[in-house]
């Protein structure tokens, strides 16, 4: 895609091939020095561990253009750290935080033209990922790996950005208590695809997953954490060892407390208490904060009448978070990495 042809203000969340991507290969116990490439295609052996046994993981972060023309990223050190945690869980080699951050700088600079202009509402999505490229026949970790990082300009994750989402409680489970829910393994997303298609066929935008052990507590959705606001304006955030530690959610907990003076509770949230909340939203890099209107659990419909509107707590959280990300509001120390 030629960047002159991109309609920045009407972008959805899709893949647009950019100019360059970063690639590094792991062989004989170490990573090579890495380079940028114009080739968007991956060529690997038919028996690569990623193809047979799904040994792959990814991250997601965004670069933003500021009003005064700089390009910044938001807390990328936390993406690097989370990828290390994921790699440990999947028996993959670690790509160091330093290498991750310098690859990020390189790839964003090389694709500067693809960073959407300030004020369009769009941003540059950055997708670091790693997979077992070495061939394995028996079930075991690969000996060779590839780390890549590509970018794509994106707009809102959910099509109806102005409308509150309608979610349903899935009859499928996403993550076992001691499984892979807390890491960003590709397999977590593969197994959510069928559940997502079922939700869509039933007219819902996304699934809410319950804890697999008791099926009584709210965990998260397929691609975002979930947050609630109670009648007394408390920010309530589900806590569980099987949900992804969202960087957006961790940031909102801080913003709620330190910038907006909200009471914040991180705790178990049971399905039965949804009636106590007046606002609900999905939060994540892609979702940012997407307001939720209803959650349906079989014949019960929980409504969150206040999720949308200028006076909602979610709107205050959204404005403060996005203000920090675009450098219009002063960020806490270390949250912004300026690239250009
Ligand atoms: N939960 C899941 C399952 C996700 O895929 C994501 C996206 O990365 C999130 C939560 C949000 O995490 P973050 O805010 O770090 O993007
Ligand atoms: C992100 O928000 O970066 C994600 O990885 C979510 C993904 C489902 C698009």
């Amino acid at each position: 895609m030629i960047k002159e042809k991109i309609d920045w203000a009407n972008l959805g969340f899709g893949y647009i091939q950019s100019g360059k991507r970063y690639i590094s290969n792991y062989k004989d116990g170490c990573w090579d020095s890495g380079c940028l490439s114009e080739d968007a295609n991956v060529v690997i052996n038919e028996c690569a561990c990623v193809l047979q046994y799904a040994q792959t993981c990814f991250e997601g972060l965004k670069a933003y253009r500021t009003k005064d023309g700089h390009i910044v990223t938001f807390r990328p050190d936390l993406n690097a750290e989370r990828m290390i945690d994921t790699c440990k869980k999947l028996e993959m080699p670690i790509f160091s935080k330093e290498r991750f951050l310098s690859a990020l700088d390189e790839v964003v600079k090389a694709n500067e033209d693809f960073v959407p202009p300030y004020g369009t509402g769009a941003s540059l999505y950055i997708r670091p990922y790693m997979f077992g490229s070495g061939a394995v026949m028996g079930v075991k970790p690969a000996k060779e790996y590839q780390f890549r990082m590509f970018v794509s300009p994106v707009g809102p994750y959910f099509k109806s950005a102005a409308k509150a989402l309608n979610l349903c409680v899935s009859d499928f489970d996403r993550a076992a208590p001691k499984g892979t829910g807390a890491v960003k393994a590709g397999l977590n997303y593969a197994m959510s695809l069928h559940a997502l298609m079922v939700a869509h066929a039933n007219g819902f935008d996304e699934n809410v997953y319950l804890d697999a052990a008791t099926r009584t507590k709210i965990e998260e959705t397929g691609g975002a954490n979930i947050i609630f606001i109670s009648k007394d304006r408390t920010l309530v955030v589900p806590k569980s060892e099987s949900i992804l530690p969202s960087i957006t959610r961790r940031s909102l907990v801080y913003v709620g407390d330190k910038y907006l003076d909200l009471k914040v509770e991180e705790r178990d949230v049971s399905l039965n208490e949804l009636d106590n909340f007046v606002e609900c939203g999905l939060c994540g890099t892609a979702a940012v904060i997407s307001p939720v209107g209803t959650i349906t659990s079989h014949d019960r419909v929980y409504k969150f009448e206040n999720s949308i509107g200028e006076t909602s707590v979610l709107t205050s959280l959204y404005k403060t978070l996005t203000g920090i990300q675009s450098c219009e509001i002063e960020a806490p120390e270390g949250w912004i990495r300026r690239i250009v």
Side-chain angles (χ1 to χ4, degrees), residues 58 60 79 82 174 184 189 220-225 244-249 283-286:
F58 68 99
N79 293 95
R82 193 169 61 188
R174 179 177 188 273
K184 220 158 156 56
Y189 299 81
E220 62 172 326
T221 67
N225 278 182
L244 193 76
S246 157
I247 295 160
T248 314
R249 181 249 298 170
C283 71
T285 301

Side-chain angles (χ1 to χ4, degrees), residues 174-196:
R174 179 177 188 273
K178 294 197 186 299
T180 53
V183 297
K184 220 158 156 56
L187 59 92
N188 291 339
Y189 299 81
M191 56 65 58
S192 74
L193 298 176
H194 175 63
L196 183 64

Side-chain angles (χ1 to χ4, degrees), residues 34-229:
C35 63
L36 291 174
S37 165
E38 288 186 359
D39 191 354
N41 296 309
V42 178
V43 178
I44 43 172
N45 185 271
E46 61 191 350
C47 209
C49 197
V50 58
L51 298 179
Q52 304 309 323
Y53 305 125
Q55 194 188 22
T56 181
C57 66
F58 68 99
E59 272 300 323
L61 66 160
K62 283 175 172 172
Y64 311 86
R65 202 176 289 273
T66 64
K67 208 174 188 170
D68 55 0
H70 293 295
I71 298 172
V72 299
T73 52
F74 180 71
R75 312 190 77 182
D77 50 318
L78 298 189
N79 293 95
E81 284 168 14
R82 193 169 61 188
M83 191 163 197
I84 291 171
D85 292 343
T86 306
C87 286
K88 286 183 184 160
K89 190 95 187 189
L90 298 183
E91 289 296 335
M92 299 171 86
I94 278 160
F95 199 72
S96 74
K97 197 196 297 195
E98 296 69 33
R99 290 277 320 260
F100 184 102
L101 294 175
S102 79
L104 173 68
D105 291 352
E106 248 190 271
V107 88
V108 172
K109 273 188 201 140
N111 293 290
E112 203 179 321
D113 286 353
F114 287 88
V115 184
Y118 171 81
T120 53
S123 53
L124 188 76
Y125 188 69
I126 302 151
R127 174 54 65 85
Y129 64 116
M130 191 195 293
F131 51 88
S133 52
V136 290
M137 200 66 223
V139 178
K140 59 182 171 224
K143 287 209 164 75
E144 293 174 17
Y145 293 83
Q146 190 164 100
F147 171 91
R148 297 175 76 103
M149 197 184 280
F150 70 84
V151 302
S152 176
V154 294
Y157 188 67
F158 293 103
K159 270 191 219 107
S160 51
K163 199 175 121 291
L165 299 168
N166 295 307
L167 310 182
C168 66
V169 174
S170 181
D171 287 330
F172 299 98
D173 294 323
R174 179 177 188 273
K178 294 197 186 299
T180 53
V183 297
K184 220 158 156 56
L187 59 92
N188 291 339
Y189 299 81
M191 56 65 58
S192 74
L193 298 176
H194 175 63
L196 183 64
M197 289 307 104
V198 172
H200 285 176
N202 290 327
F204 298 104
D205 297 299
E206 243 295 12
N207 281 306
V208 177
Y209 293 97
L210 300 178
D211 73 294
T214 70
R215 298 194 56 82
T216 58
K217 289 175 269 178
I218 302 287
E219 294 250 294
E220 62 172 326
T221 67
N225 278 182
I226 192 163
I227 58 175
F228 299 95
I229 307 294

